[in-house]
PDB file of all heavy atoms in Angstrom:
ATOM      1  N   GLY A  19      24.699   5.338   8.232  1.00 91.00           N
ATOM      2  CA  GLY A  19      23.936   6.424   7.623  1.00 91.00           C
ATOM      3  C   GLY A  19      23.002   6.001   6.515  1.00 91.00           C
ATOM      4  O   GLY A  19      22.271   6.850   6.013  1.00 91.00           O
ATOM      5  N   LYS A  20      22.951   4.754   6.182  1.00 93.00           N
ATOM      6  CA  LYS A  20      22.054   4.278   5.159  1.00 93.00           C
ATOM      7  C   LYS A  20      20.669   4.004   5.679  1.00 93.00           C
ATOM      8  O   LYS A  20      20.193   2.857   5.778  1.00 93.00           O
ATOM      9  CB  LYS A  20      22.626   3.061   4.507  1.00 93.00           C
ATOM     10  CG  LYS A  20      23.994   3.271   3.820  1.00 93.00           C
ATOM     11  CD  LYS A  20      24.602   1.968   3.311  1.00 93.00           C
ATOM     12  CE  LYS A  20      26.043   2.262   2.749  1.00 93.00           C
ATOM     13  NZ  LYS A  20      26.644   0.964   2.345  1.00 93.00           N
ATOM     14  N   MET A  21      20.020   5.077   6.124  1.00 94.00           N
ATOM     15  CA  MET A  21      18.706   5.021   6.751  1.00 94.00           C
ATOM     16  C   MET A  21      17.849   6.126   6.159  1.00 94.00           C
ATOM     17  O   MET A  21      18.357   7.184   5.785  1.00 94.00           O
ATOM     18  CB  MET A  21      18.801   5.203   8.271  1.00 94.00           C
ATOM     19  CG  MET A  21      19.801   4.318   8.959  1.00 94.00           C
ATOM     20  SD  MET A  21      19.075   2.822   9.562  1.00 94.00           S
ATOM     21  CE  MET A  21      18.397   3.403  11.092  1.00 94.00           C
ATOM     22  N   GLU A  22      16.509   5.933   6.099  1.00 96.00           N
ATOM     23  CA  GLU A  22      15.588   6.971   5.733  1.00 96.00           C
ATOM     24  C   GLU A  22      14.413   6.944   6.672  1.00 96.00           C
ATOM     25  O   GLU A  22      13.953   5.916   7.068  1.00 96.00           O
ATOM     26  CB  GLU A  22      15.064   6.743   4.268  1.00 96.00           C
ATOM     27  CG  GLU A  22      16.113   6.874   3.191  1.00 96.00           C
ATOM     28  CD  GLU A  22      15.524   6.774   1.800  1.00 96.00           C
ATOM     29  OE1 GLU A  22      14.444   7.391   1.565  1.00 96.00           O
ATOM     30  OE2 GLU A  22      16.137   6.049   1.030  1.00 96.00           O
ATOM     31  N   ARG A  23      13.977   8.160   7.077  1.00 96.00           N
ATOM     32  CA  ARG A  23      12.841   8.313   7.932  1.00 96.00           C
ATOM     33  C   ARG A  23      11.895   9.338   7.422  1.00 96.00           C
ATOM     34  O   ARG A  23      12.251  10.327   6.815  1.00 96.00           O
ATOM     35  CB  ARG A  23      13.306   8.701   9.385  1.00 96.00           C
ATOM     36  CG  ARG A  23      14.046   7.641  10.148  1.00 96.00           C
ATOM     37  CD  ARG A  23      13.116   6.509  10.522  1.00 96.00           C
ATOM     38  NE  ARG A  23      13.809   5.486  11.270  1.00 96.00           N
ATOM     39  CZ  ARG A  23      14.378   4.418  10.740  1.00 96.00           C
ATOM     40  NH1 ARG A  23      14.439   4.274   9.434  1.00 96.00           N
ATOM     41  NH2 ARG A  23      14.927   3.461  11.504  1.00 96.00           N
ATOM     42  N   ASP A  24      10.565   9.088   7.680  1.00 97.00           N
ATOM     43  CA  ASP A  24       9.513   9.982   7.315  1.00 97.00           C
ATOM     44  C   ASP A  24       9.296  10.920   8.433  1.00 97.00           C
ATOM     45  O   ASP A  24       8.283  10.804   9.192  1.00 97.00           O
ATOM     46  CB  ASP A  24       8.271   9.195   6.963  1.00 97.00           C
ATOM     47  CG  ASP A  24       7.328   9.922   5.993  1.00 97.00           C
ATOM     48  OD1 ASP A  24       7.530  11.131   5.835  1.00 97.00           O
ATOM     49  OD2 ASP A  24       6.449   9.300   5.385  1.00 97.00           O
ATOM     50  N   PHE A  25      10.160  11.899   8.613  1.00 98.00           N
ATOM     51  CA  PHE A  25      10.088  12.857   9.741  1.00 98.00           C
ATOM     52  C   PHE A  25       8.825  13.715   9.637  1.00 98.00           C
ATOM     53  O   PHE A  25       8.623  14.308   8.585  1.00 98.00           O
ATOM     54  CB  PHE A  25      11.351  13.723   9.763  1.00 98.00           C
ATOM     55  CG  PHE A  25      12.608  12.990  10.077  1.00 98.00           C
ATOM     56  CD1 PHE A  25      13.493  12.625   9.012  1.00 98.00           C
ATOM     57  CD2 PHE A  25      12.965  12.651  11.359  1.00 98.00           C
ATOM     58  CE1 PHE A  25      14.651  11.941   9.347  1.00 98.00           C
ATOM     59  CE2 PHE A  25      14.139  11.950  11.658  1.00 98.00           C
ATOM     60  CZ  PHE A  25      14.986  11.564  10.630  1.00 98.00           C
ATOM     61  N   THR A  26       8.094  13.790  10.720  1.00 98.00           N
ATOM     62  CA  THR A  26       6.773  14.430  10.716  1.00 98.00           C
ATOM     63  C   THR A  26       6.762  15.506  11.788  1.00 98.00           C
ATOM     64  O   THR A  26       6.938  15.168  13.013  1.00 98.00           O
ATOM     65  CB  THR A  26       5.623  13.380  10.895  1.00 98.00           C
ATOM     66  OG1 THR A  26       5.831  12.292   9.992  1.00 98.00           O
ATOM     67  CG2 THR A  26       4.314  14.006  10.684  1.00 98.00           C
ATOM     68  N   TYR A  27       6.409  16.718  11.457  1.00 98.00           N
ATOM     69  CA  TYR A  27       6.451  17.798  12.421  1.00 98.00           C
ATOM     70  C   TYR A  27       5.237  17.753  13.353  1.00 98.00           C
ATOM     71  O   TYR A  27       4.116  17.375  12.958  1.00 98.00           O
ATOM     72  CB  TYR A  27       6.439  19.133  11.654  1.00 98.00           C
ATOM     73  CG  TYR A  27       6.680  20.337  12.562  1.00 98.00           C
ATOM     74  CD1 TYR A  27       7.928  20.420  13.190  1.00 98.00           C
ATOM     75  CD2 TYR A  27       5.727  21.289  12.753  1.00 98.00           C
ATOM     76  CE1 TYR A  27       8.174  21.536  14.038  1.00 98.00           C
ATOM     77  CE2 TYR A  27       5.978  22.403  13.582  1.00 98.00           C
ATOM     78  CZ  TYR A  27       7.235  22.496  14.229  1.00 98.00           C
ATOM     79  OH  TYR A  27       7.451  23.590  15.018  1.00 98.00           O
ATOM     80  N   ILE A  28       5.457  18.098  14.608  1.00 98.00           N
ATOM     81  CA  ILE A  28       4.439  17.965  15.673  1.00 98.00           C
ATOM     82  C   ILE A  28       3.101  18.628  15.327  1.00 98.00           C
ATOM     83  O   ILE A  28       2.080  18.104  15.616  1.00 98.00           O
ATOM     84  CB  ILE A  28       4.988  18.439  17.029  1.00 98.00           C
ATOM     85  CG1 ILE A  28       4.025  18.242  18.179  1.00 98.00           C
ATOM     86  CG2 ILE A  28       5.491  19.928  16.933  1.00 98.00           C
ATOM     87  CD1 ILE A  28       3.612  16.854  18.415  1.00 98.00           C
ATOM     88  N   ASP A  29       3.134  19.807  14.749  1.00 98.00           N
ATOM     89  CA  ASP A  29       1.883  20.539  14.501  1.00 98.00           C
ATOM     90  C   ASP A  29       1.025  19.752  13.514  1.00 98.00           C
ATOM     91  O   ASP A  29      -0.223  19.736  13.580  1.00 98.00           O
ATOM     92  CB  ASP A  29       2.167  21.938  13.892  1.00 98.00           C
ATOM     93  CG  ASP A  29       2.697  22.874  14.903  1.00 98.00           C
ATOM     94  OD1 ASP A  29       2.909  22.513  16.066  1.00 98.00           O
ATOM     95  OD2 ASP A  29       2.979  24.056  14.567  1.00 98.00           O
ATOM     96  N   ASP A  30       1.654  19.042  12.570  1.00 98.00           N
ATOM     97  CA  ASP A  30       0.884  18.229  11.624  1.00 98.00           C
ATOM     98  C   ASP A  30       0.232  17.010  12.360  1.00 98.00           C
ATOM     99  O   ASP A  30      -0.837  16.627  12.006  1.00 98.00           O
ATOM    100  CB  ASP A  30       1.806  17.727  10.502  1.00 98.00           C
ATOM    101  CG  ASP A  30       2.186  18.812   9.527  1.00 98.00           C
ATOM    102  OD1 ASP A  30       1.466  19.777   9.390  1.00 98.00           O
ATOM    103  OD2 ASP A  30       3.247  18.695   8.888  1.00 98.00           O
ATOM    104  N   VAL A  31       0.963  16.434  13.250  1.00 98.00           N
ATOM    105  CA  VAL A  31       0.482  15.335  14.036  1.00 98.00           C
ATOM    106  C   VAL A  31      -0.736  15.698  14.870  1.00 98.00           C
ATOM    107  O   VAL A  31      -1.753  15.076  14.921  1.00 98.00           O
ATOM    108  CB  VAL A  31       1.571  14.725  14.895  1.00 98.00           C
ATOM    109  CG1 VAL A  31       1.010  13.679  15.871  1.00 98.00           C
ATOM    110  CG2 VAL A  31       2.585  14.053  14.048  1.00 98.00           C
ATOM    111  N   VAL A  32      -0.614  16.896  15.489  1.00 98.00           N
ATOM    112  CA  VAL A  32      -1.735  17.425  16.319  1.00 98.00           C
ATOM    113  C   VAL A  32      -2.954  17.649  15.460  1.00 98.00           C
ATOM    114  O   VAL A  32      -4.083  17.278  15.817  1.00 98.00           O
ATOM    115  CB  VAL A  32      -1.303  18.728  17.081  1.00 98.00           C
ATOM    116  CG1 VAL A  32      -2.498  19.358  17.711  1.00 98.00           C
ATOM    117  CG2 VAL A  32      -0.234  18.436  18.083  1.00 98.00           C
ATOM    118  N   GLU A  33      -2.763  18.291  14.294  1.00 98.00           N
ATOM    119  CA  GLU A  33      -3.907  18.548  13.442  1.00 98.00           C
ATOM    120  C   GLU A  33      -4.583  17.214  12.980  1.00 98.00           C
ATOM    121  O   GLU A  33      -5.856  17.135  13.014  1.00 98.00           O
ATOM    122  CB  GLU A  33      -3.391  19.279  12.154  1.00 98.00           C
ATOM    123  CG  GLU A  33      -4.522  19.666  11.193  1.00 98.00           C
ATOM    124  CD  GLU A  33      -5.420  20.772  11.755  1.00 98.00           C
ATOM    125  OE1 GLU A  33      -4.984  21.593  12.560  1.00 98.00           O
ATOM    126  OE2 GLU A  33      -6.584  20.805  11.361  1.00 98.00           O
ATOM    127  N   GLY A  34      -3.831  16.205  12.649  1.00 98.00           N
ATOM    128  CA  GLY A  34      -4.373  14.930  12.281  1.00 98.00           C
ATOM    129  C   GLY A  34      -5.180  14.279  13.452  1.00 98.00           C
ATOM    130  O   GLY A  34      -6.287  13.793  13.272  1.00 98.00           O
ATOM    131  N   CYS A  35      -4.606  14.312  14.652  1.00 98.00           N
ATOM    132  CA  CYS A  35      -5.230  13.761  15.845  1.00 98.00           C
ATOM    133  C   CYS A  35      -6.572  14.440  16.131  1.00 98.00           C
ATOM    134  O   CYS A  35      -7.588  13.759  16.389  1.00 98.00           O
ATOM    135  CB  CYS A  35      -4.325  13.905  17.040  1.00 98.00           C
ATOM    136  SG  CYS A  35      -2.887  12.844  17.060  1.00 98.00           S
ATOM    137  N   VAL A  36      -6.551  15.754  16.124  1.00 98.00           N
ATOM    138  CA  VAL A  36      -7.800  16.467  16.475  1.00 98.00           C
ATOM    139  C   VAL A  36      -8.890  16.250  15.432  1.00 98.00           C
ATOM    140  O   VAL A  36     -10.057  16.049  15.817  1.00 98.00           O
ATOM    141  CB  VAL A  36      -7.466  17.991  16.623  1.00 98.00           C
ATOM    142  CG1 VAL A  36      -8.704  18.800  16.743  1.00 98.00           C
ATOM    143  CG2 VAL A  36      -6.555  18.221  17.810  1.00 98.00           C
ATOM    144  N   ARG A  37      -8.505  16.225  14.143  1.00 98.00           N
ATOM    145  CA  ARG A  37      -9.520  15.995  13.121  1.00 98.00           C
ATOM    146  C   ARG A  37     -10.068  14.584  13.215  1.00 98.00           C
ATOM    147  O   ARG A  37     -11.246  14.361  13.064  1.00 98.00           O
ATOM    148  CB  ARG A  37      -8.898  16.222  11.734  1.00 98.00           C
ATOM    149  CG  ARG A  37      -8.600  17.617  11.458  1.00 98.00           C
ATOM    150  CD  ARG A  37      -8.364  17.844   9.941  1.00 98.00           C
ATOM    151  NE  ARG A  37      -7.934  19.188   9.610  1.00 98.00           N
ATOM    152  CZ  ARG A  37      -8.100  19.795   8.443  1.00 98.00           C
ATOM    153  NH1 ARG A  37      -8.710  19.104   7.466  1.00 98.00           N
ATOM    154  NH2 ARG A  37      -7.643  21.003   8.232  1.00 98.00           N
ATOM    155  N   VAL A  38      -9.216  13.602  13.466  1.00 98.00           N
ATOM    156  CA  VAL A  38      -9.710  12.232  13.580  1.00 98.00           C
ATOM    157  C   VAL A  38     -10.613  12.045  14.793  1.00 98.00           C
ATOM    158  O   VAL A  38     -11.592  11.360  14.718  1.00 98.00           O
ATOM    159  CB  VAL A  38      -8.518  11.228  13.600  1.00 98.00           C
ATOM    160  CG1 VAL A  38      -8.952   9.808  13.973  1.00 98.00           C
ATOM    161  CG2 VAL A  38      -7.857  11.170  12.237  1.00 98.00           C
ATOM    162  N   LEU A  39     -10.210  12.657  15.891  1.00 98.00           N
ATOM    163  CA  LEU A  39     -10.957  12.509  17.170  1.00 98.00           C
ATOM    164  C   LEU A  39     -12.413  12.984  16.918  1.00 98.00           C
ATOM    165  O   LEU A  39     -13.397  12.370  17.522  1.00 98.00           O
ATOM    166  CB  LEU A  39     -10.323  13.340  18.258  1.00 98.00           C
ATOM    167  CG  LEU A  39     -10.892  13.155  19.671  1.00 98.00           C
ATOM    168  CD1 LEU A  39     -10.646  11.717  20.160  1.00 98.00           C
ATOM    169  CD2 LEU A  39     -10.261  14.161  20.607  1.00 98.00           C
ATOM    170  N   ALA A  40     -12.622  13.984  16.099  1.00 98.00           N
ATOM    171  CA  ALA A  40     -13.918  14.537  15.850  1.00 98.00           C
ATOM    172  C   ALA A  40     -14.787  13.715  14.862  1.00 98.00           C
ATOM    173  O   ALA A  40     -15.959  14.004  14.588  1.00 98.00           O
ATOM    174  CB  ALA A  40     -13.861  15.966  15.343  1.00 98.00           C
ATOM    175  N   ARG A  41     -14.145  12.668  14.303  1.00 98.00           N
ATOM    176  CA  ARG A  41     -14.811  11.804  13.291  1.00 98.00           C
ATOM    177  C   ARG A  41     -14.829  10.389  13.725  1.00 98.00           C
ATOM    178  O   ARG A  41     -13.894   9.610  13.382  1.00 98.00           O
ATOM    179  CB  ARG A  41     -14.112  11.958  11.983  1.00 98.00           C
ATOM    180  CG  ARG A  41     -14.809  11.280  10.824  1.00 98.00           C
ATOM    181  CD  ARG A  41     -14.023  11.433   9.524  1.00 98.00           C
ATOM    182  NE  ARG A  41     -14.678  10.932   8.343  1.00 98.00           N
ATOM    183  CZ  ARG A  41     -14.663   9.641   7.985  1.00 98.00           C
ATOM    184  NH1 ARG A  41     -13.981   8.770   8.699  1.00 98.00           N
ATOM    185  NH2 ARG A  41     -15.270   9.201   6.871  1.00 98.00           N
ATOM    186  N   PRO A  42     -15.745   9.985  14.576  1.00 98.00           N
ATOM    187  CA  PRO A  42     -15.766   8.587  15.086  1.00 98.00           C
ATOM    188  C   PRO A  42     -15.782   7.554  13.998  1.00 98.00           C
ATOM    189  O   PRO A  42     -16.416   7.742  12.958  1.00 98.00           O
ATOM    190  CB  PRO A  42     -17.065   8.513  15.933  1.00 98.00           C
ATOM    191  CG  PRO A  42     -17.292   9.913  16.342  1.00 98.00           C
ATOM    192  CD  PRO A  42     -16.855  10.772  15.191  1.00 98.00           C
ATOM    193  N   ALA A  43     -15.033   6.508  14.218  1.00 98.00           N
ATOM    194  CA  ALA A  43     -14.979   5.388  13.234  1.00 98.00           C
ATOM    195  C   ALA A  43     -16.335   4.740  13.073  1.00 98.00           C
ATOM    196  O   ALA A  43     -17.148   4.679  14.018  1.00 98.00           O
ATOM    197  CB  ALA A  43     -13.993   4.335  13.680  1.00 98.00           C
ATOM    198  N   THR A  44     -16.629   4.349  11.873  1.00 98.00           N
ATOM    199  CA  THR A  44     -17.878   3.662  11.577  1.00 98.00           C
ATOM    200  C   THR A  44     -17.631   2.380  10.863  1.00 98.00           C
ATOM    201  O   THR A  44     -16.518   2.181  10.256  1.00 98.00           O
ATOM    202  CB  THR A  44     -18.776   4.495  10.676  1.00 98.00           C
ATOM    203  OG1 THR A  44     -18.081   4.867   9.472  1.00 98.00           O
ATOM    204  CG2 THR A  44     -19.214   5.813  11.396  1.00 98.00           C
ATOM    205  N   PRO A  45     -18.571   1.411  10.814  1.00 98.00           N
ATOM    206  CA  PRO A  45     -18.292   0.204  10.009  1.00 98.00           C
ATOM    207  C   PRO A  45     -18.173   0.518   8.541  1.00 98.00           C
ATOM    208  O   PRO A  45     -18.739   1.483   8.046  1.00 98.00           O
ATOM    209  CB  PRO A  45     -19.612  -0.603  10.280  1.00 98.00           C
ATOM    210  CG  PRO A  45     -20.140  -0.092  11.557  1.00 98.00           C
ATOM    211  CD  PRO A  45     -19.786   1.351  11.590  1.00 98.00           C
ATOM    212  N   ASP A  46     -17.281  -0.182   7.857  1.00 97.00           N
ATOM    213  CA  ASP A  46     -17.056   0.026   6.456  1.00 97.00           C
ATOM    214  C   ASP A  46     -18.052  -0.865   5.657  1.00 97.00           C
ATOM    215  O   ASP A  46     -17.915  -2.134   5.665  1.00 97.00           O
ATOM    216  CB  ASP A  46     -15.649  -0.382   6.098  1.00 97.00           C
ATOM    217  CG  ASP A  46     -15.271  -0.174   4.652  1.00 97.00           C
ATOM    218  OD1 ASP A  46     -16.226   0.233   3.879  1.00 97.00           O
ATOM    219  OD2 ASP A  46     -14.162  -0.386   4.276  1.00 97.00           O
ATOM    220  N   PRO A  47     -19.077  -0.318   4.939  1.00 96.00           N
ATOM    221  CA  PRO A  47     -20.042  -1.073   4.252  1.00 96.00           C
ATOM    222  C   PRO A  47     -19.449  -1.906   3.129  1.00 96.00           C
ATOM    223  O   PRO A  47     -20.026  -2.944   2.704  1.00 96.00           O
ATOM    224  CB  PRO A  47     -21.019  -0.050   3.782  1.00 96.00           C
ATOM    225  CG  PRO A  47     -20.261   1.211   3.720  1.00 96.00           C
ATOM    226  CD  PRO A  47     -19.267   1.165   4.822  1.00 96.00           C
ATOM    227  N   ALA A  48     -18.266  -1.499   2.664  1.00 95.00           N
ATOM    228  CA  ALA A  48     -17.595  -2.263   1.559  1.00 95.00           C
ATOM    229  C   ALA A  48     -16.631  -3.352   2.066  1.00 95.00           C
ATOM    230  O   ALA A  48     -16.030  -4.059   1.255  1.00 95.00           O
ATOM    231  CB  ALA A  48     -16.837  -1.254   0.651  1.00 95.00           C
ATOM    232  N   TRP A  49     -16.508  -3.489   3.365  1.00 96.00           N
ATOM    233  CA  TRP A  49     -15.511  -4.417   3.880  1.00 96.00           C
ATOM    234  C   TRP A  49     -15.958  -5.853   3.541  1.00 96.00           C
ATOM    235  O   TRP A  49     -17.082  -6.269   3.730  1.00 96.00           O
ATOM    236  CB  TRP A  49     -15.414  -4.241   5.393  1.00 96.00           C
ATOM    237  CG  TRP A  49     -14.271  -4.999   6.014  1.00 96.00           C
ATOM    238  CD1 TRP A  49     -12.930  -4.566   6.043  1.00 96.00           C
ATOM    239  CD2 TRP A  49     -14.270  -6.264   6.661  1.00 96.00           C
ATOM    240  NE1 TRP A  49     -12.159  -5.486   6.675  1.00 96.00           N
ATOM    241  CE2 TRP A  49     -12.945  -6.532   7.071  1.00 96.00           C
ATOM    242  CE3 TRP A  49     -15.277  -7.169   6.958  1.00 96.00           C
ATOM    243  CZ2 TRP A  49     -12.602  -7.699   7.749  1.00 96.00           C
ATOM    244  CZ3 TRP A  49     -14.956  -8.327   7.630  1.00 96.00           C
ATOM    245  CH2 TRP A  49     -13.621  -8.613   7.993  1.00 96.00           C
ATOM    246  N   ASP A  50     -14.968  -6.628   3.088  1.00 96.00           N
ATOM    247  CA  ASP A  50     -15.254  -7.988   2.544  1.00 96.00           C
ATOM    248  C   ASP A  50     -14.447  -8.980   3.367  1.00 96.00           C
ATOM    249  O   ASP A  50     -13.212  -8.996   3.260  1.00 96.00           O
ATOM    250  CB  ASP A  50     -14.877  -8.077   1.079  1.00 96.00           C
ATOM    251  CG  ASP A  50     -15.099  -9.416   0.441  1.00 96.00           C
ATOM    252  OD1 ASP A  50     -15.634 -10.277   1.192  1.00 96.00           O
ATOM    253  OD2 ASP A  50     -14.812  -9.566  -0.751  1.00 96.00           O
ATOM    254  N   PRO A  51     -15.081  -9.838   4.156  1.00 95.00           N
ATOM    255  CA  PRO A  51     -14.372 -10.808   4.972  1.00 95.00           C
ATOM    256  C   PRO A  51     -13.552 -11.814   4.133  1.00 95.00           C
ATOM    257  O   PRO A  51     -12.671 -12.482   4.612  1.00 95.00           O
ATOM    258  CB  PRO A  51     -15.458 -11.456   5.799  1.00 95.00           C
ATOM    259  CG  PRO A  51     -16.711 -11.217   5.046  1.00 95.00           C
ATOM    260  CD  PRO A  51     -16.545  -9.918   4.355  1.00 95.00           C
ATOM    261  N   ALA A  52     -13.959 -11.980   2.828  1.00 96.00           N
ATOM    262  CA  ALA A  52     -13.228 -12.908   1.965  1.00 96.00           C
ATOM    263  C   ALA A  52     -11.907 -12.272   1.435  1.00 96.00           C
ATOM    264  O   ALA A  52     -10.997 -12.980   1.050  1.00 96.00           O
ATOM    265  CB  ALA A  52     -14.084 -13.258   0.829  1.00 96.00           C
ATOM    266  N   ALA A  53     -11.813 -10.937   1.527  1.00 94.00           N
ATOM    267  CA  ALA A  53     -10.610 -10.203   1.134  1.00 94.00           C
ATOM    268  C   ALA A  53     -10.518  -9.032   2.054  1.00 94.00           C
ATOM    269  O   ALA A  53     -10.669  -7.859   1.654  1.00 94.00           O
ATOM    270  CB  ALA A  53     -10.721  -9.734  -0.336  1.00 94.00           C
ATOM    271  N   PRO A  54     -10.197  -9.272   3.356  1.00 94.00           N
ATOM    272  CA  PRO A  54     -10.288  -8.244   4.353  1.00 94.00           C
ATOM    273  C   PRO A  54      -9.250  -7.116   4.217  1.00 94.00           C
ATOM    274  O   PRO A  54      -8.074  -7.391   4.027  1.00 94.00           O
ATOM    275  CB  PRO A  54     -10.085  -8.996   5.661  1.00 94.00           C
ATOM    276  CG  PRO A  54      -9.368 -10.236   5.295  1.00 94.00           C
ATOM    277  CD  PRO A  54      -9.833 -10.594   3.919  1.00 94.00           C
ATOM    278  N   ASP A  55      -9.710  -5.934   4.354  1.00 94.00           N
ATOM    279  CA  ASP A  55      -8.826  -4.759   4.435  1.00 94.00           C
ATOM    280  C   ASP A  55      -8.416  -4.590   5.880  1.00 94.00           C
ATOM    281  O   ASP A  55      -9.285  -4.427   6.737  1.00 94.00           O
ATOM    282  CB  ASP A  55      -9.595  -3.496   3.933  1.00 94.00           C
ATOM    283  CG  ASP A  55      -8.833  -2.222   4.122  1.00 94.00           C
ATOM    284  OD1 ASP A  55      -7.655  -2.269   4.479  1.00 94.00           O
ATOM    285  OD2 ASP A  55      -9.452  -1.146   3.902  1.00 94.00           O
ATOM    286  N   ALA A  56      -7.145  -4.590   6.160  1.00 94.00           N
ATOM    287  CA  ALA A  56      -6.651  -4.526   7.517  1.00 94.00           C
ATOM    288  C   ALA A  56      -6.914  -3.206   8.235  1.00 94.00           C
ATOM    289  O   ALA A  56      -6.847  -3.133   9.425  1.00 94.00           O
ATOM    290  CB  ALA A  56      -5.144  -4.797   7.532  1.00 94.00           C
ATOM    291  N   ALA A  57      -7.250  -2.120   7.483  1.00 97.00           N
ATOM    292  CA  ALA A  57      -7.368  -0.784   8.003  1.00 97.00           C
ATOM    293  C   ALA A  57      -8.835  -0.455   8.306  1.00 97.00           C
ATOM    294  O   ALA A  57      -9.102   0.683   8.811  1.00 97.00           O
ATOM    295  CB  ALA A  57      -6.761   0.207   7.128  1.00 97.00           C
ATOM    296  N   SER A  58      -9.760  -1.275   8.019  1.00 97.00           N
ATOM    297  CA  SER A  58     -11.169  -1.058   8.365  1.00 97.00           C
ATOM    298  C   SER A  58     -11.855  -2.380   8.709  1.00 97.00           C
ATOM    299  O   SER A  58     -11.172  -3.373   8.792  1.00 97.00           O
ATOM    300  CB  SER A  58     -11.831  -0.418   7.152  1.00 97.00           C
ATOM    301  OG  SER A  58     -11.914  -1.245   6.032  1.00 97.00           O
ATOM    302  N   SER A  59     -13.135  -2.337   8.859  1.00 98.00           N
ATOM    303  CA  SER A  59     -13.832  -3.543   9.285  1.00 98.00           C
ATOM    304  C   SER A  59     -15.316  -3.425   9.215  1.00 98.00           C
ATOM    305  O   SER A  59     -15.880  -2.317   8.902  1.00 98.00           O
ATOM    306  CB  SER A  59     -13.450  -3.773  10.788  1.00 98.00           C
ATOM    307  OG  SER A  59     -14.172  -4.859  11.356  1.00 98.00           O
ATOM    308  N   SER A  60     -16.037  -4.515   9.460  1.00 98.00           N
ATOM    309  CA  SER A  60     -17.459  -4.498   9.582  1.00 98.00           C
ATOM    310  C   SER A  60     -17.818  -3.859  10.962  1.00 98.00           C
ATOM    311  O   SER A  60     -18.958  -3.506  11.241  1.00 98.00           O
ATOM    312  CB  SER A  60     -18.068  -5.834   9.528  1.00 98.00           C
ATOM    313  OG  SER A  60     -17.451  -6.736  10.427  1.00 98.00           O
ATOM    314  N   ALA A  61     -16.866  -3.713  11.823  1.00 98.00           N
ATOM    315  CA  ALA A  61     -16.976  -3.064  13.133  1.00 98.00           C
ATOM    316  C   ALA A  61     -16.566  -1.570  12.945  1.00 98.00           C
ATOM    317  O   ALA A  61     -15.894  -1.216  11.898  1.00 98.00           O
ATOM    318  CB  ALA A  61     -16.053  -3.687  14.155  1.00 98.00           C
TER     319      ALA A  61
END
């Protein structure tokens, strides 16, 4: 029983998916290859 989970309700997941789908990813102008952020890119 020594476990913790970040339980997430389905309606919240759907809302996040739909909002992200409408916002295409773009290159991050601040992305630095010398100190790369794993969550964004020059792509």
Side-chain angles (χ1 to χ4, degrees):
K20 297 174 183 176
M21 310 267 277
E22 292 184 46
R23 289 291 181 270
D24 204 344
F25 294 99
T26 310
Y27 191 64
I28 182 62
D29 289 0
D30 288 335
V31 170
V32 172
E33 184 68 29
C35 287
V36 170
R37 291 196 186 205
V38 168
L39 189 65
R41 186 181 185 276
T44 58
D46 181 358
W49 192 81
D50 181 1
D55 174 10
S58 65
S59 175
S60 57

